[in-house]
Amino acid sequence: MPILDHLWIIPLLPLLGSAINGLLGWKWPNKAVHSVALASTALSFACALEAAREFLDYYDQFHHAFVKQFFTWITAGTLRAGFDLQFDQLTIVMVLVVTGVGFLIHIYSTGYMAHEEGYFRIFSYLNLFMFFMLILVLAANYVLLFVGWEGVGLCSYLLIGFYNLRKSATDAGNKAFIVNRIGDFAFLLGIFLLFRTFHSVDFTTIFDHAASLPTEAMGQFGTLTVVCILLFIGATGKSAQLPLYVWLPDAMEGPTPVSALIHAATMVTAGVYMVARSHVLYTHAPSALYIVAIVGCATAFFAATIGLVQSDIKKVLAYSTVSQLGYMFLACGVGAFSAGIFHLMTHAFFKALLFLAAGSVIHAMGGEQDMWRMGGLGSKIKITFMSMLFATLAITGFPPFAGFFSKDAILAASLNSQHGGKVLYAVGLAAAILTSFYMFRLMWLTFWGQPRYDQHQVHVHESPLNMTIPLIILALLSLAGGWFAFPALWGGKDYFSDFLGPILGTGEAASVVAGHYLELTLSGVAVIAATLGLLVAWRMYRKDVKQGPSTGLHEILYRKYYVDELYHAVVVGPLVWLSRNVLWKVIDVGLIDGTVNGIAHGTSAVGDTVRHTQSGNARSYAVWVLIGAVVVFVIIFWPIVHPVLFGGLR
Amino acid sequence: MIPTNYYLVLSAILFGLGIVAFVFKRNILTIFMAIELMLNAVNLAFVAFSQSLGKPDGEVFVLFVIIVAAAEAAVGLGIIILTARNRRSLNVENVNLLKL
């Protein structure tokens, strides 16, 4: 098992690429820079494939996850946090998605970023991101997972603010970083509580131990429930769920490949991965599971409604990502973890494709992102158009595209699972209709209809091959990526959840397959929902439409429910006020500067008083000499002077 | 023989006069003379002790003091002459270049 025994090589390769480009890339030509980046990513992908093959052999023999301790990182008391890597079926899915989709996006970036300043910088950051993301998914304990978790946050910050001369970009980077801090703080508390409870941070130890604990009753807030809720708050930060989703739409300030890699396909799904990884804890804490389901479901619907009216093509996709992440959490929340991971995978394909295709559109339009200034592009950039269409059909859930299978699995689970319910299903279905509407609205505004841009100014051109090839590959994956989990009713077999079964449990599969008749109905309903969204979009946007005045509900949605304004008023405003009027003007200026300046002023004042002794007047010096002589005399002859002066007091 | 006390009292009186003149007089030359007076008052005390204790140490000290006083007189008078030349005055109040 050459690779499996040296798992560290998978994350190390991108780290090396990042270091080489980061240190030396500034004086290299573009070709050398992206050769290094592509080679390291491709090798990492190849190693991941080989490791997956070796693991399957290993699993046939030993029937448990492969865990290897490479070195001990922290020891303190009973705490041992090591550089331990784990490889199992769940890791295989994640590692292959990260390295595979990551590699395609690297190829795309060579085209998209070709004329940008700081070519070496973006590849260095992207590789560094791959390193941390791989650490995150390979980690065998929560502490190492947290290292990856923070690392991808750092890279996200760096890449959102990539255009570092633009204030809005650096602000968005700060926002992403700061909002994530809130979640990360809760995550950290969760890890502390886990260590306190289980005296270990290793996955295997914790999960073995937790599995033997009794399931906490619904509504009971025991240790496990609190741990799960804290971990989930961490996930809401990283995976942009209510109420911490606000950073993700702003993160679109980054270059489009970054949005595709980090803010669609991989990093934002880290929260879903973490929840699925901790499924043993969650299944023992139904209250936490319920919260996950509700938050996921609410986010799926809420973000979709905002996506309905956005005019920036990337903003639509950003809200769509938030919404789809909500679906994944909904799946986890109803106990269908493998359905959540399945949607994570298919979403990685089609959402990365959507972003890359949107990037290709922006590239073709010479930097224009407003859909109201596009239109009729379908006939001019055919490859982009076709791949975008594939991705749209996938995300809206038309068979046989990937999204149909994963979304169907989630909706079915939300209705049938013991943790699910009709309300969750109904809201999820409504979100599916909205998804279909805003995606086809995007298609109509962008690719169909009449051009709404100045055709003399903008020369629409198809992107170069290094951008279109990743599009084509991802389009094929968006089509076929769902076939791992063919519904049983079509004579298929859910290979995906069987594959993940050893890790995520097989209990859910039984509850999902509640009967062919029901499954058929649910699939039918889902397709009808998607068609409904399509028809509404067709009716509203098929004709030559103009951007109308924004009023009423439209305005509220367009302004994103005024959430940013609300947060600004409730959190940011008071915090800034507190910082300015208390921390700055009282504590900093008054206390800290006051102390320092006070000492200086005091010294100066004492000097001011005392300097008058140095009058420059020779006779006053003479008096001082005399006084000094008297003092010396008194000190020397104290035994004699004392009784003379104070004798009378005795 | 005159008792040692008398010498010491005389010495103390001379020293006190020297101090008073040193502090209150304004003429540099007078101040200079006050210093000389104090030095010689101390000399007198040394000699008196030397006599009463029958040891030569005090007389040796007196010789040292006289030497130092001679040197001091040379330097001091030099300064005074220059001051008088530059300022056309011997008032110590006028020697105040270091004043703020």
Side-chain angles (χ1 to χ4, degrees):
Chain A
M1 303 188 295
I3 297 291
L4 209 52
D5 280 329
H6 298 282
L7 267 179
W8 49 267
I9 204 157
I10 299 177
L12 189 77
L13 283 164
L15 180 65
L16 273 179
S18 166
I20 292 172
N21 272 338
L23 296 175
L24 306 171
W26 57 276
K27 54 182 174 185
W28 285 357
N30 286 0
K31 208 169 243 175
V33 168
H34 67 232
S35 303
V36 169
L38 287 180
S40 66
T41 327
L43 274 175
S44 185
F45 180 53
C47 290
L49 277 176
E50 168 64 12
R53 194 193 60 75
E54 286 166 12
F55 172 73
L56 293 180
D57 289 347
Y58 174 89
Y59 187 76
D60 282 342
Q61 227 177 328
F62 300 101
H63 298 284
H64 60 74
F66 177 87
V67 180
K68 184 150 176 154
Q69 305 186 339
F70 288 99
F71 62 88
T72 300
W73 176 36
I74 300 174
T75 43
T78 53
L79 173 71
R80 182 199 170 275
F83 186 79
D84 306 341
L85 299 184
Q86 177 166 355
F87 211 78
D88 57 22
Q89 285 87 344
L90 180 57
T91 320
I92 289 180
V93 174
M94 292 303 293
V95 167
L96 291 182
V97 166
V98 170
T99 51
V101 176
F103 176 59
L104 292 174
I105 291 172
H106 271 71
I107 297 179
Y108 179 91
S109 304
T110 61
Y112 189 83
M113 302 301 291
H115 310 296
E116 300 282 351
E117 200 60 35
Y119 193 74
F120 76 98
R121 207 151 52 88
I122 194 152
F123 279 101
S124 178
Y125 290 164
L126 284 176
N127 271 12
L128 188 67
F129 168 79
M130 297 277 285
F131 163 71
F132 279 120
M133 192 67 205
L134 288 167
I135 290 285
L136 195 160
V137 297
L138 283 166
N141 61 51
Y142 278 102
V143 176
L144 195 58
L145 187 146
F146 191 68
V147 172
W149 187 273
E150 289 300 307
V152 292
L154 167 72
C155 295
S156 163
Y157 161 78
L158 290 172
L159 286 163
I160 294 169
F162 179 75
Y163 297 118
N164 51 16
L165 295 179
R166 210 161 64 196
K167 175 104 168 65
S168 59
T170 53
D171 281 351
N174 284 340
K175 185 172 179 182
F177 204 75
I178 293 164
V179 171
N180 267 301
R181 292 266 72 61
I182 302 169
D184 293 348
F185 180 64
F187 188 20
L188 211 51
L189 289 182
I191 297 174
F192 293 159
L193 195 54
L194 272 176
F195 178 71
R196 209 183 101 107
T197 316
F198 298 106
H199 307 292
S200 170
V201 290
D202 293 335
F203 289 151
T204 19
T205 322
I206 291 177
F207 298 152
D208 287 351
H209 200 140
S212 63
L213 293 176
T215 303
E216 289 173 2
M218 191 71 189
Q220 176 200 345
F221 283 84
T223 317
L224 283 180
T225 311
V226 175
V227 166
C228 289
I229 290 172
L230 285 172
L231 294 185
F232 179 61
I233 294 174
T236 58
K238 187 85 14 193
S239 295
Q241 295 296 292
L242 285 172
L244 297 180
Y245 72 96
V246 287
W247 65 270
L248 186 56
D250 287 24
M252 296 303 124
E253 286 286 344
T256 308
V258 170
S259 310
L261 177 62
I262 299 186
H263 307 119
T266 52
M267 184 191 84
V268 288
T269 58
V272 181
Y273 164 76
M274 191 264 290
V275 170
R277 175 61 80 193
S278 318
H279 70 100
V280 178
L281 304 176
Y282 279 92
T283 44
H284 282 74
S287 319
L289 216 47
Y290 196 54
I291 292 174
V292 174
I294 289 174
V295 170
C297 194
T299 311
F301 184 77
F302 179 82
T305 56
I306 301 179
L308 296 179
V309 298
Q310 297 303 309
S311 55
D312 183 324
I313 188 167
K314 281 181 77 182
K315 281 276 160 68
V316 175
L317 295 179
Y319 281 105
S320 162
T321 305
V322 176
S323 173
Q324 298 299 313
L325 288 166
Y327 270 117
M328 295 175 211
F329 279 110
L330 172 61
C332 293
V334 297
F337 295 100
S338 78
I341 294 295
F342 186 39
H343 196 57
L344 187 161
M345 184 182 84
T346 58
H347 176 258
F349 297 149
F350 61 67
K351 187 50 71 61
L353 174 55
L354 283 171
F355 269 110
L356 295 186
S360 183
V361 169
I362 295 167
H363 189 82
M365 295 292 296
E368 182 59 68
Q369 300 199 5
D370 190 342
M371 292 190 297
W372 291 104
R373 295 193 202 150
M374 295 178 187
L377 295 177
S379 55
K380 289 179 180 139
I381 41 175
K382 285 211 176 63
I383 300 175
T384 307
F385 165 62
M386 281 311 290
S387 47
M388 190 84 156
L389 185 63
F390 269 50
T392 304
L393 291 171
I395 192 177
T396 49
F398 282 100
F401 289 87
F404 168 73
F405 301 103
S406 55
K407 197 177 277 187
D408 200 38
I410 291 174
L411 289 175
S414 69
L415 184 63
N416 294 329
S417 155
Q418 50 169 340
H419 303 288
K422 288 193 177 63
V423 178
L424 291 178
Y425 174 74
V427 176
L429 194 65
I433 300 174
L434 298 181
T435 308
S436 175
F437 173 77
Y438 67 65
M439 283 316 300
F440 282 103
R441 171 179 175 267
L442 186 152
M443 291 301 286
W444 253 288
L445 286 179
T446 312
F447 292 107
W448 293 313
Q450 292 302 311
R452 286 182 301 276
Y453 54 90
D454 186 351
Q455 279 165 299
H456 301 292
Q457 291 281 323
V458 185
H459 300 287
V460 178
H461 54 283
E462 182 59 281
S463 304
L465 270 185
N466 50 8
M467 286 166 73
T468 47
I469 287 174
L471 293 183
I472 294 166
I473 297 173
L474 282 170
L476 293 178
L477 284 171
S478 299
L479 173 63
W483 295 350
F484 295 113
F486 234 73
L489 108 120
W490 292 355
K493 191 165 175 315
D494 193 347
Y495 291 108
F496 195 80
S497 61
D498 283 355
F499 179 67
L500 288 178
I503 304 299
L504 299 176
T506 46
E508 49 167 303
S511 69
V512 172
V513 184
H516 283 190
Y517 180 69
L518 183 62
E519 199 178 342
L520 185 63
T521 317
L522 291 180
S523 299
V525 169
V527 174
I528 290 169
T531 317
L532 194 65
L534 190 158
L535 288 176
V536 175
W538 175 72
R539 237 187 99 52
M540 286 178 68
Y541 296 100
R542 90 199 127 119
K543 290 210 190 101
D544 192 16
V545 280
K546 294 265 181 306
Q547 186 174 22
S550 187
T551 47
L553 187 62
H554 184 278
E555 177 70 5
I556 294 175
L557 293 178
Y558 189 71
R559 298 277 168 209
K560 309 147 197 168
Y561 294 101
Y562 299 96
V563 169
D564 276 336
E565 284 81 354
L566 181 76
Y567 282 3
H568 200 274
V570 175
V571 182
V572 181
L575 205 63
V576 169
W577 185 90
L578 185 80
S579 306
R580 178 168 297 149
N581 292 325
V582 178
L583 295 179
W584 174 27
K585 290 191 175 157
V586 176
I587 308 247
D588 190 40
V589 173
L591 208 67
I592 297 174
D593 287 5
T595 312
V596 175
N597 291 340
I599 290 171
H601 283 145
T603 315
S604 164
V606 170
D608 228 26
T609 319
V610 175
R611 72 176 179 165
H612 292 295
T613 59
Q614 301 281 331
S615 59
N617 186 345
R619 292 199 316 138
S620 72
Y621 294 158
V623 176
W624 282 113
V625 171
L626 178 63
I627 293 171
V630 170
V631 168
V632 170
F633 180 84
V634 169
I635 290 171
I636 291 175
F637 293 101
W638 186 244
I640 303 166
V641 173
H642 183 255
V644 173
L645 285 179
F646 303 105
L649 295 175
R650 258 197 225 126
Chain B
M1 200 171 123
I2 305 164
T4 314
N5 283 359
Y6 288 21
Y7 291 106
L8 292 181
V9 169
L10 178 62
S11 165
I13 290 170
L14 286 175
F15 193 82
L17 285 172
I19 286 175
V20 171
F22 177 72
V23 172
F24 291 105
K25 279 301 188 181
R26 292 195 180 161
N27 191 312
I28 303 177
L29 211 54
T30 321
I31 292 171
F32 188 71
M33 283 157 68
I35 294 170
E36 294 299 321
L37 186 60
M38 284 191 279
L39 283 170
N40 284 313
V42 173
N43 281 351
L44 184 59
F46 273 127
V47 176
F49 276 118
S50 171
Q51 180 71 20
S52 90
L53 296 175
K55 284 182 179 173
D57 304 24
E59 280 152 33
V60 173
F61 250 103
V62 169
L63 285 175
F64 274 111
V65 171
I66 287 170
I67 292 163
V68 170
E72 184 237 329
V75 177
L77 283 173
I79 293 172
I80 289 168
I81 288 166
L82 280 176
T83 311
R85 248 189 223 161
N86 287 335
R87 296 180 183 273
R88 304 259 155 232
S89 151
L90 281 176
N91 192 339
V92 74
E93 308 271 298
N94 292 340
V95 186
N96 58 0
L97 270 182
L98 282 176
K99 210 167 182 176
L100 294 169

